Amino acid sequence: MYAVELKEVNKRFQDNRNKEFVAVDGINLQIAQGEFFSILGQSGCGKTTTLRMIAGFETPTSGEIYIENQPMGKSPPFHRPVNTVFQNYALFPHLTVEQNMAFGLQMEKLPSREISSRVGEVLEIVKLNGFEKRYPRQLSGGQQQRVALGRSLVKQPKVLLLDEPLGALDLKLRKEMQLELKHMQQQLGITFIYVTHDQEEALTMSDRLAVMYQGKVLQLGAPVEIYEKPNSRFVADFIGESNFLTGLVKEQRGDKLIVLVDKHLPVVVTYPHELPVGKLITLAIRPEKIKIDGTNSSEEKQEDNCWLGKLKEAVYIGTDTRYIIALTEQSSLVSRQQNLHCNLDQYSLGEEVKIRVSPDNIRVIIDE
């Protein structure tokens, strides 16, 4: 039994000119019990609309949504075993932390002893013991976020929906809360469905994630699969950073494909499927997979994918340095090298350097 299942779900809206547009286009998702599942995409891709349909705030135009095997596409939010944490927290400013958390249970007319017990348990989970009597205005942004989270958890939902809940926090606090949310989800065993446009956030926290674009799910899988094996140029470009080279298939030798980039630069790629000679394809290479050596390096030259390039730019970013290397007159590559030895003047602008890329670290993307 899935915690949540979407079958051929569509959502269409009409704009102020009465023109129809598709927000969600026939998506199918199966989300397992106890899974931390993220929906990732740009603004306007349909991710929040999908979450709102699961929550019951929007009704699918067609298709069905199942929550624990029960059809819920047309059920109101209060009939669904889910709760939602919003980006703006929506806390009651005139109520204390304790009162904010207890509010939903009071509306259900639960006994005061049970309410007190549940609120006490959740205060410990979200690490707000000692803050019970404070008001939202007396809390930091991270603490307010915990109150919003606790207010949802206290109702013991089967599924917790989170709509970019860390978006209002500063970078350092956001990274801390990412790990806390993941640990909390593992401790509680509740299914989390998390919507974000932040790629690093989705990769850090998710068991699986779906990448959406123009209302469709382009790729679905574990973070390592999405990052290392993107199935389209959009996914490769949106998740992290990628270099793209366009070339024609020259020949195939077993599981090795030889591609000519800019008509003369041979690139060898590990690719087990057959492609016709002359086919135009795109190659995606992650910057951290590109290794740089000075031309006076004593290391033996690799037979495959060892090229000379000219260093055009170097940008220091703390943990690593971002280099831009001109490979041909038309093509440049970005490489990111870790700053392991504090040798920040290792290469000079305009210097000729060797670039090395393993054939296993190049992804083939077939242009449609």
Side-chain angles (χ1 to χ4, degrees):
M1 182 172 68
Y2 297 113
V4 176
E5 185 174 14
L6 280 67
K7 291 187 176 180
E8 290 297 326
V9 171
N10 294 273
K11 182 62 180 179
R12 294 177 173 82
F13 293 101
Q14 287 188 329
D15 60 21
N16 52 14
R17 296 180 180 178
N18 224 25
K19 185 177 180 182
E20 189 177 79
F21 68 94
V22 178
V24 175
D25 191 1
I27 69 171
N28 293 280
L29 291 175
Q30 292 84 36
I31 300 167
Q33 299 275 3
E35 186 172 27
F36 198 124
F37 187 92
S38 292
I39 304 174
L40 175 66
Q42 299 171 323
S43 296
C45 72
K47 60 186 185 297
T48 294
T49 301
T50 300
L51 196 78
R52 287 176 61 82
M53 286 192 289
I54 297 171
F57 302 132
E58 300 285 353
T59 302
T61 305
S62 61
E64 186 56 273
I65 296 172
Y66 296 87
I67 301 176
E68 297 199 318
N69 270 14
Q70 299 300 311
M72 292 278 180
K74 292 181 170 57
S75 299
F78 53 85
H79 284 169
R80 303 185 186 206
V82 306
N83 227 318
T84 306
V85 179
F86 300 100
Q87 183 175 358
N88 63 2
Y89 310 145
L91 301 178
F92 296 115
H94 62 289
L95 299 182
T96 64
V97 168
E98 189 175 44
Q99 291 167 340
N100 264 284
M101 289 192 184
F103 182 81
L105 302 181
Q106 291 168 345
M107 292 299 98
E108 294 178 2
K109 302 190 184 306
L110 293 183
S112 57
R113 183 174 293 179
E114 183 177 351
I115 293 174
S116 179
S117 174
R118 281 210 215 172
V119 170
E121 288 174 4
V122 170
L123 280 167
E124 188 172 341
I125 290 170
V126 298
K127 299 179 182 177
L128 283 176
N129 284 330
F131 292 82
E132 297 94 328
K133 305 305 180 185
R134 293 196 188 183
Y135 291 91
R137 65 180 179 275
Q138 298 172 311
L139 303 175
S140 68
Q143 289 166 340
Q144 290 181 30
Q145 195 271 344
R146 291 170 201 237
V147 177
L149 187 62
R151 185 177 57 184
S152 293
L153 291 175
V154 80
K155 296 194 69 174
Q156 300 177 345
K158 300 291 185 184
V159 179
L160 187 64
L161 310 175
L162 303 104
D163 188 7
E164 306 208 41
L166 308 183
L169 304 181
D170 63 69
L171 180 60
K172 187 174 181 180
L173 183 55
R174 191 160 70 240
K175 288 182 179 293
E176 291 174 6
M177 287 304 302
Q178 288 170 11
L179 295 176
E180 284 198 28
L181 267 179
K182 180 61 178 174
H183 294 154
M184 201 179 296
Q185 187 267 339
Q186 291 172 335
Q187 176 188 348
L188 295 168
I190 295 174
T191 304
F192 277 28
I193 303 178
Y194 193 98
V195 158
T196 182
H197 65 274
D198 187 315
Q199 303 94 327
E200 185 178 328
E201 196 166 86
L203 292 173
T204 299
M205 297 191 294
S206 310
D207 296 316
R208 286 190 309 143
L209 59 99
V211 182
M212 287 191 69
Y213 179 65
Q214 294 184 344
K216 294 180 180 292
V217 173
L218 290 190
Q219 191 167 357
L220 176 67
V224 65
E225 178 186 351
I226 300 286
Y227 185 82
E228 298 290 350
K229 298 179 179 179
N231 65 0
S232 67
R233 180 166 181 145
F234 175 84
V235 174
D237 197 27
F238 186 66
I239 307 291
E241 185 179 11
S242 285
N243 294 285
F244 296 103
L245 298 173
T246 302
L248 298 172
V249 176
K250 181 184 178 185
E251 61 178 300
Q252 192 149 9
R253 302 172 188 163
D255 67 346
K256 293 291 187 287
L257 196 67
I258 293 86
V259 180
L260 279 185
V261 172
D262 296 336
K263 298 183 179 179
H264 70 273
L265 182 74
V267 180
V268 181
V269 188
T270 301
Y271 191 71
H273 310 292
E274 289 190 13
L275 288 176
V277 171
K279 183 171 182 60
L280 183 71
I281 62 172
T282 297
L283 305 176
I285 311 171
R286 297 292 188 187
E288 69 275 10
K289 308 289 188 184
I290 300 171
K291 304 305 175 188
I292 302 175
D293 292 316
T295 52
N296 59 354
S297 170
S298 60
E299 188 176 336
E300 290 185 11
K301 181 179 178 181
Q302 287 180 313
E303 181 180 336
D304 297 329
N305 302 340
C306 181
W307 312 301
L308 290 176
K310 186 171 287 188
L311 185 61
K312 292 170 59 179
E313 186 176 311
V315 180
Y316 174 77
I317 18 186
T319 56
D320 55 347
T321 299
R322 186 178 187 270
Y323 297 98
I324 298 179
I325 303 110
L327 195 58
T328 69
E329 289 185 4
Q330 293 81 30
S331 301
S332 295
L333 293 177
V334 174
S335 173
R336 293 184 70 150
Q337 307 290 300
Q338 279 195 299
N339 297 321
L340 297 176
H341 307 296
C342 298
N343 187 5
L344 305 181
D345 299 320
Q346 187 174 5
Y347 306 114
S348 303
L349 295 184
E351 179 183 348
E352 196 171 60
V353 292
K354 288 179 186 176
I355 306 172
R356 302 173 186 272
V357 186
S358 166
D360 295 339
N361 288 331
I362 303 176
R363 181 72 178 166
V364 173
I365 295 174
I366 308 298
D367 294 326
E368 297 298 336

